[in-house]
């Protein structure tokens, strides 16, 4: 092959890209390209291959002695074949995905893996049809070193940690025992079938069957999560499926490796019980060791990101390199790389997210998705290629029984294992949940890869295994995948179809928000001591080491930081309460009193409400394997925050009470008389702590103010306003406090409480100079008053202070 | 848990809370830990700022009202009694143990009390009625910016009109309750972990 300068004219490049598949076929024929694009001064055809060459003006003196003329345009396909084809496949899969999503109904109907399989089969068909001389082959090292890690990394990174750890007992129990149960169950049953002479399978021994069982039990249920989304499955169920997907791959591979080692080491008859014990021990060591490695690497990389403020461009690099390194390091020692990389991602995520810049964070997320997407696509293409081909060995008995046993054993493992774990759970899984879990046992790329990589020397009947695996995958993905959506919706008993009145809609939504808010206040304290201990440990030590300093302690500030300045300004300029995009006939009407409204008006009102009411924040981010969908909730959050800021400033500008509640004075609501020590010093601390914690005011919010009044230091003001205003009234009112905040008698049978207030002695300390005075007209000097409470006398209160006793 | 006053006093109050709110001891201790976690300054009570610091709460359109419900009558701090509010959200028990005893007050998490709590969120001026203005304010909070004021006014009028049976132009608590008859309020306003 002569060397060539690759400077082809533009026209050459565009042709294959534009004409995609069809031209790919054509290009594959060596020399066929010559018919298409070769210019008139064609090359000499003495060589079978054509070469791409430089432009015409090449000195020909040196070559004048050669036999042939210097080729002006030539084609060299071999040089670029592999990257070229890989790129084309990926591009093809991407185009297919675009098409898939353009048609809105499809994603709800079938999981996206269906689509990928179809594309793979298509490409396979083409390759087969064109008799490609070197079809793509996936070998063990490519799969395990390059294709698998991104997929696992992505799964680990996007896993919601809190629900995972809350359910970790159930998840480990289910994934671990489930995988083992399935593997051995299927293996043994198939072995029994193989013993039946009639099927012609007697040469498949026990080990091979067990190995096949372990391969085929690697499920990939994450694909169904997207299909579930509308049905609002509860968080636990979601987590079980996610957790299973995450751990199942790792466990299957570990099992697979152990069994392969067995196959290599002994003849079947020599296996003794001690070897089996050794197998179990190895299983545990490999698993735990992998996790351990992962955690260490996770901490190291979190620590390093602490120092990358100035070179934020390498932050994603660090994240990816360390994760990959953890995988490789674990693999070196024959530990489970999959579990290592998973543990690394989980550990790293929490700290890295706080350390890295916003753009790095986005980059990491997207890049991860992209890598895993590419990997999976390639695997499916390989799968497609091997589907369409002559390399199959079809054995009816084996295939059918495999299918049957897969379902049976999954059912057994689900119901048995959950029955056991339900005894220990506070919130047991219902039968409905268990059915969903059972049905979501889709197989995916993992099983196929393991089957494909079986060494032929040890497995003379490898083709049969591969065929059976392919059948199972196709069956589960297509049939189960497509029907699980309707099944879930069917099981989820819907409300009656009767339309809700506007009242109900509004109040329902309000209550949902209220509930979400109260849930947030409650936090997620659990019944488990371990978790709380870990949190304490985490706060005390880990965070100090691993997280950067100068982090804003207030969450609002960090949230505001993420607000885009441009959007904020836009919102202000157009006016928050801007005109609508909706065209409804009601705009012109002014409804007063009891004017009757036509049903269409009511309908349209209902529609407006339904479409425009804010969504309740979801606890578990909906996970989609193939996509990142955070746009709407981010947008909504920003809107809410900006509006609240705006309202706040509005109300303050009017200099009056806040739009909520009656501020009748400062009262420290004491329900109980737990005496606390040193309220003075504590409160002094409070003052400083509270007002200065969000000090990282590198323009938290744009200096662009909403109002003409010069106001800077947005957030600090916002915070101190509630304190200021009441103090104002206090001053004006001459410290007359409103005693006895008794609620109005209109409250039905509620326990009415009299809350004798604390008598606070407000002490006006001149606060630090960071606040400018002169914001409110009345305020002249003191801006941030702090007041402390009298040291409470426990005894005194106890008698008069019985707020909780019912007063009727 | 703060400095130690008389141990017995505390115990007695704890029992008081337990009886009043209906929480179990385990839950109460969990809530106490949460209280301590939220109380970053460790001064024994929560201010509005502490609650505003809860990250997830910021994304809620009703944040301010919810937080304010913990500080009735405009107070600035609340101590551990904030569990009183949370008690409203306990899941309903199946049997109504106070059914036979009209003298005893209903538990905090009874349906009625839950509805009352929700009613308070609307009724800011505490006059026992939700006026159209208050309804409009609530609507403004939970609807996105794309809906205009006029539309919202219409919707608010309609809402009040639907629920208002005696034509008073405002929604009283009883009317509010009746309009939500068909909804399973008990379920909506219950948080599992508070059981």
């Amino acid at each position: 092959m002569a060397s060539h300068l690759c400077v082809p004219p533009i026209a050459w490049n565009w042709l294959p890209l534009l004409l995609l598949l069809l031209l790919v076929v054509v290009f594959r024929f060596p020399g066929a390209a010559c018919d298409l694009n070769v210019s008139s001064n064609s090359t000499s055809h003495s060589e079978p291959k054509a070469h791409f060459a430089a432009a015409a003006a090449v000195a020909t003196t040196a070559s004048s002695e050669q036999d042939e003329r210097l080729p002006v345009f030539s084609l060299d396909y071999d040089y670029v074949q592999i990257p070229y084809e890989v790129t084309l496949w990926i591009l093809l899969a991407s185009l297919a995905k675009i098409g898939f999503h353009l048609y809105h109904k499809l994603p709800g109907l079938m999981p996206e893996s269906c689509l990928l399989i179809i594309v793979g089969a298509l490409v396979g068909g083409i390759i087969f049809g064109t008799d490609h001389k070197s079809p793509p082959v996936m070998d063990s090292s490519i799969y395990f070193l390059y294709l698998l890690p991104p997929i696992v990394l992505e799964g680990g990174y996007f896993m919601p940690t809190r629900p995972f750890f809350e359910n970790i007992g159930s998840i480990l129990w289910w994934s671990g025992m489930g995988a083992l149960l399935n593997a051995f169950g299927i293996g043994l049953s198939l072995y029994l079938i193989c013993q039946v002479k009639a099927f012609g399978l007697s040469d498949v021994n026990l080990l091979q069957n067990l190995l096949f069982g372990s391969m085929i039990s690697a499920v990939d249920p994450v694909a169904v999560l997207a299909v579930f989304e509308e049905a609002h499955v509860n968080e636990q169920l979601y987590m079980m499926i996610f957790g299973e997907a995450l751990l199942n791959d790792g466990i299957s591979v570990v099992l697979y490796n152990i069994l392969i080692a067995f196959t290599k080491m002994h003849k079947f008859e020599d296996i003794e019980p001690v070897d089996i014990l050794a197998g179990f021990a190895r299983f545990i060591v490999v698993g735990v060791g992998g996790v351990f490695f992962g955690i260490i690497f996770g901490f190291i990389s979190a620590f390093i990101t602490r120092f990358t403020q100035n070179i934020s461009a390498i932050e994603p690099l660090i994240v990816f390199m360390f994760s990959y390194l953890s995988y490789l390091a674990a693999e070196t020692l024959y530990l489970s790389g999959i579990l290592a990389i998973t543990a690394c991602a989980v550990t790293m995520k929490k700290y890295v997210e706080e350390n890295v810049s916003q753009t790095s964070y986005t980059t990491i997320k997207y890049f991860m998705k992209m890598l895993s997407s590419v990997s999976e696509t390639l695997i499916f293409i390989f799968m497609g290629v091997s589907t369409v081909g002559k390399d199959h060995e079809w054995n009816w008995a084996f295939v059918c029984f495999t299918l049957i046993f897969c379902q049976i054993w999954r059912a057994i493992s689900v119901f048995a294992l959950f029955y056991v774990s339900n005894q220990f759970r506070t919130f047991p899984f219902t039968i409905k949940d268990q059915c969903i879990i059972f049905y979501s046992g889709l197989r995916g790329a993992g099983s196929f890869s393991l089957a494909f990589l079986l060494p032929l020397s040890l497995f003379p009947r490898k083709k049969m295994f591969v065929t059976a695996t392919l059948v199972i995958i196709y069956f589960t993905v297509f049939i189960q995948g497509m029907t699980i959506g309707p099944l879930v919706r069917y099981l989820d008993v819907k409300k009656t179809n009767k339309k809700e009145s506007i009242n109900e809609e509004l109040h329902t939504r309000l209550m949902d928000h209220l509930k979400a808010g109260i849930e947030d206040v409650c936090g997620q304290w659990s019944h488990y001591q371990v978790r709380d201990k870990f949190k304490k440990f985490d706060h005390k030590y880990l965070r100090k080491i691993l997280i950067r300093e100068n982090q804003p302690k207030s969450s609002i500030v960090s949230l505001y930081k993420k607000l885009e300045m441009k959007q904020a300004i836009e919102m202000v300029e157009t006016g928050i309460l801007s005109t609508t995009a909706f065209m409804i006939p009601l705009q012109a009407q002014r409804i007063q009193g009891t004017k009757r409204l036509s049903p269409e008006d009511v309908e349209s009102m209902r529609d407006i409400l339904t479409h425009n009411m804010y969504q309740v924040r979801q606890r578990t981010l909906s996970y989609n394997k193939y996509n990142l969908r955070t746009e709407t909730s981010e947008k909504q959050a920003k809107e809410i925050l900006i509006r609240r800021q705006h309202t706040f400033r509005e109300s303050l500008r009017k200099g009056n009470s806040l739009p909520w509640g009656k501020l009748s004075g400062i009262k420290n609501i004491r329900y109980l008389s737990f005496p606390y020590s040193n309220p003075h010093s504590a409160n002094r601390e409070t003052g400083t702590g509270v007002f200065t914690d969000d000090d990282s005011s590198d323009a938290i919010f744009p200096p662009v103010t909403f109002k003409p009044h010069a106001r800077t230091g947005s957030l600090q003001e916002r915070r101190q306003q509630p304190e200021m205003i009441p103090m104002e009234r206090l001053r004006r009112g001459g410290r007359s406090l409103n005693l006895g905040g008794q609620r109005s008698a209109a409250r039905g049978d509620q326990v009415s409480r009299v809350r004798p207030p604390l008598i606070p002695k407000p002490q006006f300390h001149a606060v630090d100079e960071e606040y400018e005075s002169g914001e409110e007209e009345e305020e002249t000097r003191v801006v941030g008053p702090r007041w402390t409470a009298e040291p409470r006398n426990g005894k005194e209160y106890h008698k008069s202070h019985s707020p909780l006793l019912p007063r009727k | 848990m703060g400095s130690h006053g008389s141990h017995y006093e505390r115990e007695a109050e704890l029992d008081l809370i337990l009886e009043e709110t209906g929480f179990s001891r385990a839950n109460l201790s969990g809530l106490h830990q949460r209280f301590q976690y939220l109380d970053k300054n460790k001064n024994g009570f929560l201010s509005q700022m502490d609650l505003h610091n809860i990250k997830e709460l910021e994304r809620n359109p009703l944040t301010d009202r919810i937080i304010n419900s913990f500080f009735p009558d405009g107070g600035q701090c609340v101590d551990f009694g904030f569990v009183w509010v949370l008690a409203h959200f306990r899941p309903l028990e199946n049997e109504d143990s106070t059914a036979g005893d009209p003298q005893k007050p209903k538990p905090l998490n009874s349906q009625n009390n839950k509805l009352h709590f929700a009613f308070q969120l609307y009724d800011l001026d505490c006059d026992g009625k939700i006026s159209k203005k208050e309804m409009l304010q609530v609507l403004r909070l939970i609807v996105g910016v794309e809906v205009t004021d006029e539309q919202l006014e219409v919707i608010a009028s309609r809402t009040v009109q639907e629920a208002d049976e005696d034509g008073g132009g405002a929604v009283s608590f009883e009317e509010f309750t009746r309009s939500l008859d068909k909804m399973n309020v008990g379920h909506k306003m219950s948080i599992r972990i508070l059981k």
Side-chain angles (χ1 to χ4, degrees), chain A residues 272-293:
Chain A
E272 299 165 15
V274 71
D275 288 322
I276 299 189
L277 274 181
F280 272 115
R282 182 158 171 191
F283 182 75
I284 296 182
V285 164
V286 165
V288 172
V291 170
F292 180 66
F293 257 76

Side-chain angles (χ1 to χ4, degrees), chain A residues 236 503 507-508 512-513 515 520-521 555 580 612 614 643-644 660 668 673 686 690 741 743 747 804, chain B residues 13 20 34 43 49 53 58 60 63-64 68 72 77 116 122 140 142-144 146 159 188 190 192:
Chain A
Q236 267 79 23
N503 255 296
H507 298 317
T508 317
D512 285 336
H513 280 297
K515 179 173 166 180
D520 289 330
V521 172
S555 58
T580 179
N612 279 299
Y614 286 129
R643 288 178 69 188
R644 200 179 308 137
W660 57 77
N668 194 2
S673 63
T686 315
V690 161
R743 293 188 181 224
R747 315 274 154 130
L804 296 182
Chain B
E13 285 172 356
E20 186 83 5
R34 176 72 178 169
N43 46 14
M49 237 133 289
N53 263 335
E58 284 305 312
N60 199 312
T63 307
D64 297 317
N68 266 69
C77 301
H116 218 298
Y122 291 88
R140 188 72 267 176
I142 68 173
V143 173
E146 287 177 353
T159 317
K188 279 229 165 265
S190 296
R192 277 218 292 195

